[in-house]
Amino acid sequence: MSIHQDKILILDFGSQVTQLIARRVREFNVYCEIHPYDVSNDFIKEFAPKGIILSGGPNSVYEDDTPTAPEAVFALGVPVFGICYGMQTIASQLGGKVESAGKREFGYSEVYYQDSVIFNQLSDGKTEQGDFLKVWMSHGDKVTKLPTGFKVIASNDVCPIAAIENTEKKIFAVQFHPEVTHTKQGTAMLSRFVLDVCKCEQSWTMPNYADEVIDKIKQQVGNDTVILALSGGVDSSVAGVLIHKAIGSQLKCIFVDTGLLRYQEGEQVMKNYHENLHLDITKIDAREEFYTALTGVSDPEQKRKIIGKLFIDIFQRESAKFTNAKWLAQGTIYPDVIESAGSKTKKAHNIKSHHNVGGLPEDMHLQLLEPLRELFKDEVRALGVSLGIAPKLIYRHPFPGPGLGVRILGEIKPEYVELLQRADNIFIEELYAHDLYHKTSQAFVVFLPVKTVGVMGDGRTYDYAVALRAVETSDFMTANVANLPFEFITKVANRIINEVKGINRVTYDISGKPPATIEWE
């Protein structure tokens, strides 16, 4: 249970964008946590939230065994904000009525509103009907009868009851999604609820968190030794520096070179962390072990599982050499925790495996130390900056756990790895040189195991192709292709073809997410 004073509890009814609610609340410097809708009344009371937000979800409240909010949500006396399904379950549970809308409403819409603390002085335009808000709808049901004490504060032709409130009980609800960027004033609406209605103190800052967690690590660990698998990525780096500040030389870092890292990354990791940050780090060259285990394997999910399992086996083997170790540190962050824990309401497909949470053998006999498990990625970066880690490391683009193993389509071969590393390095070099790196959210090269005919000089070539991938996103749940200048793309392509012998064709991936994913595998 969190020790933070002012906090918001978000109950998840299965929405695909529940994490966005938490991100918005955290942006107000207010702490919050996401938990399944069916937590116990005692849990809610012990959590002691200043306010509760009920997320959207795929169910209908009039179905059998439909999810409902615990009694404590309404009995605790704190403000409540319902979103989409959250609004419908509020209405149904408090005596109102919800029915099928007949006409579903998905996507952009406009609602006209009355004065309310949630909507006060917010407007996206005005017509003869009054002020309206541009919102994102996603519903097939609608509230048709209000519970006692509630009034309608927003509506449109399709959804006559688009938002409701009970000012006496401080319960508010909207049929649309304020957490997504498509709802123009959505962040302001959530801010009104969290700051004005719940009156939360804006005390959730990274310097405060660093001081708090360093003290907590000291108390937890005492004089024990902690082992950390240091990958060189942002999460493990910040975790390493944070733990080192707490316990110094009691932290032992193990860096496993899988052979699937970026260009010269093994050398860079050792220099950055051993020489510059003075961490006690042991490098394990396991390239041949990984290449051997992956021989003949082309299925993406199977590759992920092989890489994850072998990494754990090697880490377990090496960590056993530290006979006095009592703790295993991981750079687990909050989205990993949420996605791996899941919710009973969620029936999402398993898009790809996560390797941070779970999967560790029970016989390791080490207690877990996860100092970042409450943080979103942007908060981890802010924490890293407050700890004094170089911004170039902190603001690097995300890199998948299996590394280049999921950026080489099909079977992984050492020669493919070398070609991809060199091509990817050219792309990143040019992004930095043209001041485009930080204008993209993620950029990399994908190796395509197909050969194409080309002409170089007077000779015919028959070499491999690669794809450039660059996206812009604020949350990594959705993404648009980065609008890189055509002259820049052609320069990168020419450098790769001229400098990387074995590649004679470069393509540019213009797919968004959805329907594609950001990574190719």
Side-chain angles (χ1 to χ4, degrees), residues 128-280:
E128 293 180 357
Q129 291 177 261
D131 287 298
F132 66 85
L133 296 166
K134 296 178 180 180
V135 301
W136 192 258
M137 289 283 195
S138 179
H139 68 99
D141 298 332
K142 63 181 180 180
V143 176
T144 56
K145 177 187 174 185
L146 294 180
T148 302
F150 282 79
K151 71 173 185 178
V152 178
I153 55 172
S155 63
N156 65 17
D157 293 339
V158 177
C159 189
I161 303 178
I164 60 177
E165 72 173 10
N166 182 323
T167 53
E168 181 183 348
K169 293 184 177 180
K170 295 184 179 178
I171 300 177
F172 307 84
V174 295
Q175 186 57 69
F176 50 85
H177 286 272
E179 69 272 33
V180 301
T181 55
H182 305 75
T183 298
K184 300 299 182 185
Q185 306 289 344
T187 299
M189 295 174 202
L190 289 169
S191 173
R192 299 282 170 82
F193 175 73
V194 172
L195 302 182
D196 298 343
V197 178
C198 299
K199 301 190 183 304
C200 288
E201 182 182 343
Q202 295 176 274
S203 58
W204 173 246
T205 64
M206 287 307 100
N208 288 347
Y209 179 80
D211 293 339
E212 177 185 302
V213 79
I214 286 171
D215 288 340
K216 186 177 178 182
I217 291 169
K218 288 178 181 177
Q219 293 173 11
Q220 274 185 292
V221 172
N223 296 320
D224 297 338
T225 295
V226 176
I227 299 175
L228 169 68
L230 190 61
S231 68
V234 174
D235 300 336
S236 69
S237 300
V238 174
V241 173
L242 188 64
I243 297 168
H244 186 256
K245 282 186 178 292
I247 61 172
S249 61
Q250 292 167 239
L251 174 66
K252 309 297 181 185
C253 300
I254 296 175
F255 169 54
V256 178
D257 186 346
T258 63
L260 301 170
L261 304 174
R262 287 167 281 205
Y263 184 70
Q264 295 183 342
E265 189 163 22
E267 295 84 350
Q268 292 168 5
V269 166
M270 294 304 292
K271 183 173 182 177
N272 286 337
Y273 296 98
H274 182 62
E275 297 180 21
N276 298 341
L277 296 174
H278 311 295
L279 298 183
D280 184 339

Side-chain angles (χ1 to χ4, degrees), residues 317-350:
R317 180 183 74 205
E318 297 301 323
S319 62
K321 297 175 183 178
F322 296 95
T323 55
N324 58 340
K326 300 289 179 63
W327 296 84
L328 169 66
Q330 290 195 126
T332 307
I333 64 174
Y334 200 36
D336 299 331
V337 176
I338 297 168
E339 291 171 16
S340 296
S343 165
K344 291 179 183 177
T345 63
K346 290 190 177 180
K347 297 180 180 178
H349 292 122
N350 179 23

Side-chain angles (χ1 to χ4, degrees), residues 348-405:
H349 292 122
N350 179 23
I351 305 299
K352 54 191 178 184
S353 298
H354 284 279
H355 67 286
N356 261 5
V357 182
L360 292 170
E362 294 180 5
D363 59 358
M364 284 196 78
H365 302 301
L366 295 174
Q367 299 179 72
L368 273 184
L369 183 65
E370 298 174 313
L372 310 181
R373 65 180 288 114
E374 295 179 335
L375 305 182
F376 285 105
K377 177 67 85 172
D378 56 329
E379 294 170 325
V380 173
R381 295 187 196 278
L383 176 59
V385 171
S386 75
L387 291 170
I389 303 176
K392 187 169 183 178
L393 172 62
I394 288 301
Y395 289 102
R396 281 207 306 179
H397 291 171
F399 190 62
L404 301 182

Side-chain angles (χ1 to χ4, degrees), residues 259-264 303 399-400 402-409 411-428 443-448 464-469 496 500-503 519 521:
L260 301 170
L261 304 174
R262 287 167 281 205
Y263 184 70
Q264 295 183 342
K303 286 196 294 185
F399 190 62
L404 301 182
V406 292
R407 292 180 179 173
I408 295 171
L409 302 194
E411 184 181 1
I412 296 168
K413 297 180 180 180
E415 64 180 287
Y416 295 172
V417 174
E418 184 179 352
L419 290 172
L420 178 55
Q421 285 175 331
R422 293 174 61 198
D424 185 74
N425 186 58
I426 289 170
F427 189 22
I428 300 304
F444 53 90
V445 176
V446 178
F447 181 84
L448 310 178
Y464 292 105
V466 296
L468 308 181
R469 177 69 159 149
I496 290 174
V500 184
K501 186 177 180 180
I503 295 174
E519 299 285 349
E521 287 193 343

